[in-house]
Amino acid sequence: MKNIFPFLEWVSTYKKAYFIKDLLAGLTVGIVLVPQGMAYAMIAGLPPVHGLYASLFPILTYALLGTSRKIAVGPVAMDSLLVAVGLGTLTITGVENYIIMVVLLTLMVGCIQFLLGVLRMGFLVNFLSKPVISGFTSAAAIIIVLSQLKHLLGVSVPGSNKIYETIFNIFYKLGEINWVDFSIGLVGIALLLGFKKWNKNIPGILIIVVLGIVAVYLFQLNVFDVKLVGSVPSGLPTFVLPTIDIENMKQLVPIAIALALVGYLEAISIGKAIEDKTGEDTIQANQELIAIGSSNIVGSFFQGYPVTASFSRSAISYDAGTKTNLSAIFSVILVVLTLLFLTPLFQYLPNAILASIIMVSVVKLIDIAYFKHLWLNRKDEFFVMLITFIITLFIGITQGILIGVLCSLLLMVYRTSKPHFVEIGNIGNSDYYKNVIRFADEVVVRNDLLIVRFDSQLYFGNSAYFKKQLLKHIRAKGPQLKGIILNAEAINYIDATAADMLTKLIHDIRERGFQFYIAGAIGPTRDIIFNTGIIKELQREFLFVKTKEAVNFFDDPNEVSLLAAKVAYENSRMAKAKRSLN
């Protein structure tokens, strides 16, 4: 049951100490969710109230089915932009028809994500390395911070996910700064930082929200053209089945697939980034697909639109100290109360206060320390992180993640194409064989015997490199060389291409008058050796369990290897058993 309903896991271990943190985090996220939900719905081309509809039942569904205990699910800017851009290419007349198409799109996105989860496609998340996640989150944090500058400055500028467009738009409007808005925002930032430095347990976000509402109401700051959240439409959504139309579905398939994949990548990236900071490890990739897909399916029944994890609200939730998904339920309760009773209060909330909350919460996710660490220790991974960061910052969030993953895969392929290949030697006549360069003063190097170790699987991508390196070491040994031993302890797989190469190489080496031995192969590798042409060319008596055995056999061919003895014993035992049956 816990696999199907992950909430049972945290419910069964819930502590009283968590309640206040979850309550404060949930209310804090809810306060931001109300205006953000309406704003993002407008970005998607929908009436603002649909953003609130998407902030109710989808969030409840994720709270029950989701495995991350920290992320905040709901409407987000990226998905809202994709909805607007995708549907903008279609011919849709009238607001009602547009809403019908969006609701159908939401259902399709949910079904695709749910199906991917059922088919166990969550392994895709394994390709999100830490440098990619850190590069993405750092760039996304900067994008979010810059997107809030318009609210902090009290100016109206077009939104964009590209940093240069945002900077240009804001720079163009600097002459129109509303100094009252700017002052409110700066005071909000100062108070948040002050509260955190003084006592982290103080609910600074809730305090500045209340102070902002009170200040606007008492001092009538709206006469200074302070930008406020404004009126919130009232009323809860009703259950309505999406209108299924095959022709519409055909048009929406490409958009739905893109939204399903992007939404999943966003959620899993944000979830793993927060987990990395908290040290927790609760996210199950396949269940996340099912949870987010179910959230979108349920949302489509209540006139919502596609949801996923919100970067800014997840940062706020994490910053507020959330412990479990119970905080999401508190956020939903606040949205419900807002729709029914609290509309008059939120209409006095300054946008600059919301901007200060988001900026302070998000800026800490810019991981400068990890940039420095990679630069000093792993420059190859530093450039993967840097490329992800730059692409996300200047081209787009989706492109940044995808190109970052591609760079990680290319780096992995490059590393495995040229793995560690080294000559090893015996240490003090023991069973240990080590790198002759690292342990130059301890190992015994023989001119008549070459012992090499290959620290990787042997496959089509590195088989040519293996052959080149082995022949290079053979030439370096000179005319005294009589035998070659391959220490295969680190070789956990040999594909068909590599098996064919190794078979031919063994044949060519023996044609030159050298003996060839393989030692230390683990069970799966040994199976491949026996199931391919390698064993026919190598012959059983030249396959050894330990390198020391192979060396002894090279020095005295009359000594039988332990593996050969075991094989002979098994053959004898099987023969006796067969005779007894007869």
Side-chain angles (χ1 to χ4, degrees):
M1 288 299 292
K2 287 181 179 179
N3 290 333
I4 300 172
F5 299 105
F7 80 95
L8 294 174
E9 184 70 41
W10 58 261
V11 165
S12 62
T13 59
Y14 199 82
K15 299 178 182 178
K16 290 181 180 180
Y18 293 168
F19 183 80
I20 295 299
K21 291 183 179 293
D22 283 340
L23 176 63
L24 293 176
L27 294 178
T28 302
V29 172
I31 289 170
V32 178
L33 177 59
V34 170
Q36 273 194 351
M38 293 189 293
Y40 292 158
M42 293 179 66
I43 292 174
L46 293 164
V49 72
H50 287 270
L52 298 181
Y53 294 164
S55 305
L56 295 175
F57 293 101
I59 297 178
L60 288 176
T61 303
Y62 182 84
L64 298 176
L65 300 178
T67 56
S68 173
R69 302 179 186 182
K70 305 292 184 183
I71 64 174
V73 172
V76 298
M78 174 59 72
D79 281 20
S80 301
L81 285 171
L82 288 175
V83 169
V85 172
L87 295 184
T89 61
L90 306 178
T91 304
I92 305 173
T93 57
V95 176
E96 291 299 323
N97 290 329
Y98 188 86
I99 293 172
I100 289 172
M101 291 291 279
V102 171
V103 171
L104 178 59
L105 175 63
T106 306
L107 176 63
M108 293 174 64
V109 169
C111 290
I112 292 170
Q113 291 171 329
F114 187 88
L115 183 61
L116 289 174
V118 171
L119 295 176
R120 318 299 292 174
M121 299 298 288
F123 70 88
L124 296 171
V125 71
N126 296 328
F127 296 104
L128 289 172
S129 64
K130 185 176 179 181
V132 171
I133 293 172
S134 294
F136 155 71
T137 53
S138 298
I142 293 175
I143 292 172
I144 297 294
V145 167
L146 290 175
S147 72
Q148 297 303 307
L149 279 178
K150 62 182 180 181
H151 300 302
L152 190 71
L153 301 175
V155 295
S156 178
V157 296
S160 174
N161 282 319
K162 298 180 176 62
I163 186 173
Y164 56 87
E165 291 180 357
T166 303
I167 293 174
F168 176 79
N169 292 336
I170 291 173
F171 182 79
Y172 185 74
K173 293 282 188 174
L174 284 179
E176 303 176 14
I177 293 177
N178 185 318
W179 293 103
V180 178
D181 267 322
F182 188 47
S183 300
I184 292 173
L186 288 181
V187 170
I189 292 173
L191 287 175
L192 284 174
L193 295 176
F195 285 137
K196 286 189 177 301
K197 189 172 183 181
W198 182 27
N199 188 340
K200 291 184 178 181
N201 294 322
I202 295 176
I205 295 175
L206 287 178
I207 291 173
I208 69 166
V209 166
V210 173
L211 289 177
I213 292 173
V214 171
V216 170
Y217 182 78
L218 290 181
F219 300 107
Q220 298 295 304
L221 296 181
N222 53 313
V223 300
F224 298 101
D225 198 27
V226 172
K227 307 298 186 299
L228 305 176
V229 169
S231 60
V232 180
S234 61
L236 298 177
T238 55
F239 180 89
V240 179
L241 289 173
T243 303
I244 307 297
D245 185 284
I246 301 300
E247 291 302 318
N248 288 341
M249 292 179 70
K250 289 180 180 178
Q251 296 182 76
L252 294 174
V253 165
I255 310 169
I257 294 174
L259 273 166
L261 296 177
V262 169
Y264 170 64
L265 284 174
E266 284 183 292
I268 212 72
S269 300
I270 295 168
K272 286 177 71 69
I274 294 177
E275 274 196 350
D276 186 60
K277 291 183 175 295
T278 61
E280 295 181 351
D281 187 18
T282 62
I283 291 181
Q284 299 173 21
N286 294 313
Q287 182 61 31
E288 282 297 288
L289 274 168
I290 292 173
I292 297 171
S294 299
S295 297
N296 281 314
I297 292 172
V298 171
S300 69
F301 297 149
F302 294 93
Q303 304 167 61
Y305 74 102
V307 300
T308 186
S310 165
F311 189 90
S312 59
R313 293 194 301 277
S314 295
I316 292 170
S317 180
Y318 163 73
D319 192 50
T322 185
K323 292 295 183 181
T324 68
N325 289 337
L326 183 62
S327 62
I329 297 175
F330 290 129
S331 297
V332 171
I333 291 172
L334 185 59
V335 174
V336 172
L337 293 175
T338 300
L339 284 169
L340 298 178
F341 309 111
L342 301 179
T343 299
L345 293 179
F346 280 91
Q347 67 180 339
Y348 294 108
L349 178 62
N351 286 334
I353 290 293
L354 293 176
S356 66
I357 294 170
I358 292 171
M359 293 171 78
V360 171
S361 299
V362 167
V363 74
K364 65 175 62 176
L365 295 179
I366 301 174
D367 206 344
I368 297 175
Y370 194 58
F371 267 101
K372 291 180 179 178
H373 170 74
L374 291 182
W375 173 252
L376 294 174
N377 300 289
R378 301 298 299 267
K379 285 188 171 56
D380 51 356
E381 294 191 58
F382 168 82
F383 284 108
V384 171
M385 183 175 179
L386 184 63
I387 290 170
T388 304
F389 177 80
I390 292 173
I391 296 297
T392 302
L393 203 58
F394 292 98
I395 298 180
I397 292 175
T398 308
Q399 294 89 334
I401 295 174
L402 294 177
I403 292 176
V405 170
L406 178 61
C407 289
S408 292
L409 292 176
L410 290 175
L411 179 60
M412 180 190 71
V413 170
Y414 174 77
R415 284 175 177 167
T416 58
S417 68
K418 294 185 177 181
H420 194 224
F421 189 105
V422 65
E423 180 183 356
I424 58 178
N426 183 244
I427 295 182
N429 199 32
S430 67
D431 289 341
Y432 296 102
Y433 287 79
K434 299 294 182 182
N435 189 331
V436 298
I437 298 176
R438 284 181 181 271
F439 299 86
D441 297 331
E442 302 175 47
V443 301
V444 177
V445 180
R446 299 174 54 167
N447 293 325
D448 62 337
L449 181 63
L450 172 66
I451 310 173
V452 295
R453 191 182 71 226
F454 188 69
D455 296 336
S456 175
Q457 62 174 309
L458 194 54
Y459 75 112
F460 66 91
N462 59 27
S463 59
Y465 174 79
F466 173 88
K467 180 179 179 180
K468 179 181 176 181
Q469 289 297 309
L470 182 58
L471 294 177
K472 176 182 174 181
H473 279 77
I474 290 174
R475 288 194 298 269
K477 278 291 183 179
Q480 293 181 319
L481 181 65
K482 301 298 181 184
I484 299 102
I485 298 175
L486 171 62
N487 181 295
E489 292 175 0
I491 302 176
N492 55 20
Y493 181 73
I494 304 175
D495 75 352
T497 302
D500 185 59
M501 177 278 301
L502 188 57
T503 302
K504 293 177 181 178
L505 183 60
I506 294 171
H507 177 80
D508 292 342
I509 287 174
R510 287 183 169 166
E511 284 288 311
R512 298 184 189 186
F514 303 121
Q515 286 297 336
F516 192 89
Y517 312 85
I518 295 179
I522 62 174
T525 306
R526 219 161 44 236
D527 292 341
I528 295 172
I529 291 173
F530 277 99
N531 294 332
T532 61
I534 296 175
I535 195 62
K536 293 179 181 178
E537 194 64 48
L538 179 69
Q539 299 175 10
R540 288 173 179 264
E541 59 267 28
F542 295 96
L543 183 63
F544 298 86
V545 173
K546 296 181 179 179
T547 302
K548 185 73 172 178
E549 293 178 4
V551 173
N552 293 339
F553 187 81
F554 172 77
D555 291 331
D556 183 5
N558 293 320
E559 183 170 330
V560 180
S561 75
L562 177 61
L563 182 61
K566 286 182 177 180
V567 171
Y569 171 76
E570 285 296 322
N571 290 339
S572 175
R573 189 174 66 84
M574 292 296 292
K576 288 180 180 179
K578 187 175 181 180
R579 285 197 299 271
S580 65
L581 287 174
N582 292 333

